Amino acid sequence: MNYGRKQIIAGNWKMYKTQPEAKDFLIKFLPQLHSDRVWWLDEQKQDCIPDIVICAPFTKLQFLSEILVLAPKNLLIGAQNIHWADEGPFTGEISGQMLNEYNVRYVIVGHSERRHYFCDTDETVRKRVMAAQAHNITPILCVGETKLQRESGLAEDVLTSQLTNALEGIDITNLVIAYEPVWAIGTGDTCHPQEANRMLKHIRAVLGSDRITLLYGGSVKPDNIDDLMAQPEIDGVLVGGASLDPTSFARIVNFHLPTPRP
């Protein structure tokens, strides 16, 4: 039972795509969406249709906010980071009120690349989550262990620590968690669907709630999306490389669940 949790298929474009490339992507991507995965005008259907989120570089947000006016209403804009201050001397950062100008609905927070390359900590991640919520942007909080931590039997402890520290004082009812094992990101080495399901079950136990949307991320591809989405704890995915190709991402959005047995 998923307790009515929202399904989310999010693509993380990272530092890719010029504006012409983004336009070409959408021209090829939109016609491939199945009608049961998008909604145009009937807002009564929105609760049972996945949110399709494109988390684009900051330079693409204005372009997407203009062009997606004509797209299905569940195709939404996401950002890849947010600063905790509304303004200030923070070169290279972006604030929640700036993201609001472009109708950003989701924002990735605490991605392992931000933690590793740009020194994000559990405390700065917590502050970014709080800022997103303050600006009515749903944070997608990323957590996950390294290969060494997993091989040392510390995977669950790492997730517990990341969640406990990053969510202190946070409203967990306005939140999405993405389990992204660091050893699976961009490596082609996907976590086995049953193991991903087990780790998400651990995350639910730490959160103490069955109503929070949980995503899996880490080498999600067209050939494993069906098995991943068939797992009871997985409500969606956060897709990296495969979200850059319109045909691959469309296949992921159009995932197939097993046909129920009579």
Side-chain angles (χ1 to χ4, degrees):
M1 180 180 297
N2 73 355
Y3 294 91
R5 298 187 299 260
K6 186 69 179 179
Q7 288 186 333
I8 300 172
I9 308 296
N12 179 11
W13 280 1
K14 304 190 179 184
M15 198 176 71
Y16 292 99
K17 292 199 182 298
T18 62
Q19 185 160 311
E21 290 170 339
K23 182 177 181 180
D24 183 65
F25 174 93
L26 291 175
I27 290 172
K28 296 175 179 176
F29 172 69
L30 291 174
Q32 299 184 65
L33 298 182
H34 290 176
S35 60
D36 65 344
R37 298 298 157 90
V38 297
W39 58 286
W40 294 83
L41 298 174
D42 189 351
E43 301 196 10
Q44 294 181 346
K45 294 182 179 180
Q46 61 180 303
D47 289 339
C48 60
I49 295 178
D51 279 354
I52 304 167
V53 186
I54 296 177
C55 297
F58 298 139
T59 56
K60 300 289 132 354
L61 298 182
Q62 180 174 356
F63 165 74
L64 288 175
S65 70
E66 294 171 352
I67 199 168
L68 293 187
V69 171
L70 302 176
K73 290 193 174 185
N74 63 317
L75 184 57
L76 305 172
I77 302 172
Q80 298 176 14
N81 195 22
I82 184 173
H83 196 271
W84 50 86
D86 285 345
E87 60 183 12
F90 304 108
T91 302
E93 289 283 346
I94 194 164
S95 71
Q97 60 184 10
M98 293 174 180
L99 297 180
N100 283 155
E101 291 182 312
Y102 300 114
N103 198 31
V104 170
R105 298 281 297 277
Y106 291 91
V107 60
I108 299 171
V109 178
H111 193 281
S112 64
E113 292 164 359
R114 296 294 311 177
R115 295 177 190 258
H116 178 70
Y117 295 116
F118 303 103
C119 304
D120 248 344
T121 65
D122 288 345
E123 174 58 18
T124 59
V125 168
R126 186 189 68 81
K127 292 164 71 174
R128 295 181 197 277
V129 169
M130 188 172 292
Q133 291 183 341
H135 289 280
N136 296 314
I137 302 171
T138 301
I140 301 175
L141 170 62
C142 297
V143 297
E145 79 283 0
T146 65
K147 187 173 184 179
L148 179 60
Q149 289 167 335
R150 169 164 282 266
E151 292 176 344
S152 301
L154 299 174
E156 290 88 345
D157 292 341
V158 169
L159 296 187
T160 299
S161 177
Q162 290 177 337
L163 290 167
T164 302
N165 293 332
L167 296 180
E168 182 179 356
I170 298 297
D171 176 13
I172 67 169
T173 65
N174 179 25
L175 183 72
V176 173
I177 304 289
Y179 169 57
E180 288 207 310
V182 179
W183 49 270
I185 298 174
T187 65
D189 188 10
T190 310
C191 185
H192 193 278
Q194 282 76 25
E195 176 61 11
N197 188 73
R198 186 183 74 83
M199 296 301 288
L200 265 64
K201 190 171 184 178
H202 172 75
I203 290 173
R204 290 203 192 282
V206 175
L207 297 174
S209 173
D210 289 314
R211 301 183 181 277
I212 298 171
T213 293
L214 300 186
L215 312 181
Y216 169 77
S219 296
V220 177
K221 302 181 287 290
D223 60 4
N224 62 31
I225 183 62
D226 296 344
D227 290 338
L228 288 168
M229 290 302 295
Q231 302 303 312
E233 302 293 347
I234 297 179
D235 303 313
V237 288
L238 180 57
V239 189
S243 72
L244 298 174
D245 179 81
T247 299
S248 292
F249 194 47
R251 172 61 183 87
I252 290 171
V253 171
N254 296 328
F255 65 88
H256 304 304
L257 292 176
T259 302
R261 295 181 180 180

